[in-house]
Amino acid sequence: MTTQTTAPETPSTPTTGTPATGLIALPEHIGRALATAGALLTIAATFLAWTWTADFPGDLTVYGYPGGLQVLVLIGGALTTLFALSSYGVKGLGWLAPAGADAGVKLAALATFATAWYTVIAISVELGGVVNLEPGGYVVAATTLATLLGALALPFKRPAPDPIDPDSTGWEQFRHRLGHGWDTTKAVFAADAPRPVRALPSYAEILIIVAIMALGLTVFTYGIGTPYDELFVGFLIMAGFGFAALNKAGLIAHASQITARHQNLSICGAFLAAALFPFTQTDDKYATLGVYILIFATVALGLNIVVGLAGLLDLGYVAFLGVGAYAAALVSGSPNSPFDVHFPFWAAVLVGGAASLVFGVLIGAPTLRLRGDYLAIVTLGFGEIFRITANNLDGTSGPDLTNGSNGIASIPNLDVLGFDFGAQHDMGGFTIGRFANYFFLMLLITAVVVLVFRRSGNSRIGRAWVAIREDETAALAMGINGFRVKLIAFAVGASLAGLAGTVQAHVTYTVTPEQYLFAGAVPPNSAFLLAAVVLGGMGTIAGPLIGAALLFLIPNKLQFLGNYQLFAFGLALILLMRFRPEGIVPNRRRQLEFHEEADAPAALGKTGA
């Protein structure tokens, strides 16, 4: 005996019987119209003057030409408009929101509102009151508020799909499974319903990858080159909420799937885009930040082998960077070195990497039999022992090796095959300065580290690292030599940090013990390195690189906050871990751990398909 089921009368209601409503008590169609109209008016408001004087940076006094923070509000308004039109089912915009547009509308509207109101408040505070606002300032405040109110009226949860009627025809069942949001009365997709993603030709996906890399280079260059503090704060607001909007709409996940299908091409494209960065700069001011970011990112990727793959909590990892830097400085011809030698760069690299490797083995051999918090405490002690030892090797408290707190200074610039890294060079009509030269060198070393990470992560030893990380007892029971596997991870991670240290010694000219603290206001230090791995995404390649770039760039740009710098930075980290605990670029396994209820059924469904 079979029981026949029928579809519910209201297809837009969830299975609980409660209509999907927003935070604001407005009808959904009115909220959607208000958000769309408000976003369009916001775009128009960016072409008006927001203040009467050019004393506020960015020159927001011009009609018909957005500048400074107005450009960011314009981008937010355009993004909100596109998501709103996509929610109406406008033909050609379905690709913009594969997971539904309503969440994207909310976050994009919030980004635009926050950036606009931050600008209006900053103008009022810095110039002495709201009297300094021009009509455009009042207009943009009103339109962004209306847009946000309209967006908050949209449903917060997507209605559950209707159950399939067994009496339906095969075509109707197919259409139901395809769309889960297809309105048969209007022949359009319902708002906030997932669109089916079509398979694209290879050339189209390659063009998408090129566009992604170009967008990433543009965003990074814009962020690192913001000429004044107010613009950088507005950039952080817009970039943060904008990324969240694209992620909630499913566009980030769709782009990740495309890059994963062309992984080798994506990695080469990312390095090519990074290599173009020095050509976007007119002087060494921001190229300096670029080379330091690469040093920090390379060390973070080496730590990712220890923490992300093997699951070993190392709180003294910055010491290996210091070992490599000191070893290279001692043999690179510095007048403060007790050794009267001047090795070529390739030999200094080998010395720095080998010294870090030896110290990694010496420290790891007696300590890696510990687990968890005990291992973390021992590695933290090693980091402090290294710094104190380097401070005491001054000829008074110990042998004269490191020149004590003064460090090893006057490290000469590199000269590789006649190419002087300290001099300017002309390349294709562009003048490349000292820090740009080191940027290219560090980019090459980063490529080597990425290659080592990829090859080791996909190897037999890499799978053993993951097994140890997930359950060491089970891995030992399956015959994995846990101590040997962990020691290899420790040694590989240490040697990679030593490679970066050799370049750091030549870039900074001086190596001192104070550069290698556990925690401090400016990275690299062990705390920031660990944060870069965790926040960026443990066990991934792009995660630590992006995390290190953010964690180095943001503190440098927030120096105007003075004593409140670390407070604001810590608050941002707390919010990021609250709303994206798996990291910016999550590993699929960790994503399932943090979002098991939401993602596990989908993952199981994909596996079964």
Side-chain angles (χ1 to χ4, degrees), residues 61-415:
T61 64
V62 181
Y63 283 87
Y65 187 81
L69 287 160
Q70 289 176 324
V71 175
L72 297 177
V73 176
L74 173 62
I75 294 173
L79 188 62
T80 307
T81 302
L82 291 175
F83 278 133
L85 294 177
S86 177
S87 70
Y88 276 110
V90 175
K91 186 177 180 181
L93 292 179
W95 60 270
L96 191 62
D102 283 358
V105 173
K106 296 185 189 72
L107 288 169
L110 180 59
T112 311
F113 169 81
T115 307
W117 277 69
Y118 161 75
T119 306
V120 170
I121 293 173
I123 292 173
S124 302
V125 171
E126 292 190 18
L127 300 183
V130 295
V131 69
N132 294 283
L133 293 174
E134 284 287 285
Y138 295 103
V139 171
V140 76
T143 57
T144 53
L145 179 60
T147 304
L148 181 62
L149 293 177
L152 293 178
L154 301 180
F156 268 83
K157 291 186 178 181
R158 184 187 305 130
D162 304 337
I164 299 177
D165 188 349
D167 292 337
S168 300
T169 63
W171 165 247
E172 291 174 344
Q173 293 187 18
F174 171 77
R175 187 170 61 185
H176 182 281
R177 291 191 178 95
L178 180 67
H180 284 315
W182 184 272
D183 191 335
T184 56
T185 61
K186 299 179 181 178
V188 296
F189 280 102
D192 206 24
R195 275 69 166 171
V197 179
R198 295 180 180 179
L200 298 175
S202 295
Y203 72 88
E205 293 190 342
I206 292 174
L207 291 177
I208 291 175
I209 292 174
V210 172
I212 292 172
M213 300 307 166
L215 178 61
L217 176 62
T218 302
V219 171
F220 178 77
T221 303
Y222 186 90
I224 201 174
T226 47
Y228 51 93
D229 302 330
E230 295 86 352
L231 184 59
F232 182 74
V233 175
F235 167 77
L236 281 184
I237 296 173
M238 180 57 65
F241 285 113
F243 175 83
L246 296 176
N247 181 62
K248 282 294 185 181
L251 199 59
I252 299 295
H254 187 37
S256 299
Q257 293 174 5
I258 294 176
T259 55
R261 286 196 291 268
H262 307 273
Q263 192 175 52
N264 293 330
L265 178 63
S266 299
I267 293 176
C268 293
F271 278 101
L272 178 61
L276 295 176
F277 168 72
F279 297 101
T280 65
Q281 308 301 310
T282 57
D283 53 37
D284 268 355
K285 180 179 179 180
Y286 298 118
T288 304
L289 288 178
V291 67
Y292 284 127
I293 286 174
L294 275 183
I295 292 173
F296 187 29
T298 303
V299 180
L301 191 58
L303 179 60
N304 196 26
I305 292 179
V306 180
V307 177
L309 293 182
L312 305 174
L313 186 55
D314 188 349
L315 299 182
Y317 188 76
V318 74
F320 297 122
L321 175 68
V323 170
Y326 266 101
L330 289 172
V331 299
S332 293
S334 170
N336 299 119
S337 171
F339 307 114
D340 188 17
V341 294
H342 190 173
F343 287 5
F345 174 65
W346 64 267
V349 168
L350 293 179
V351 170
S356 297
L357 174 65
V358 170
F359 271 84
V361 173
L362 292 178
I363 298 302
T367 61
L368 287 179
R369 301 187 187 278
L370 302 174
R371 298 188 188 183
D373 299 338
Y374 300 100
L375 176 62
I377 293 173
V378 171
T379 55
L380 175 61
F382 164 67
E384 290 301 300
I385 290 172
F386 165 76
R387 182 181 62 84
I388 295 172
T389 302
N391 216 11
N392 289 336
L393 296 180
D394 56 357
T396 302
S397 302
D400 186 9
L401 184 62
T402 64
N403 204 24
S405 59
N406 294 324
I408 301 176
S410 302
I411 301 173
N413 283 302
L414 291 175
D415 191 324

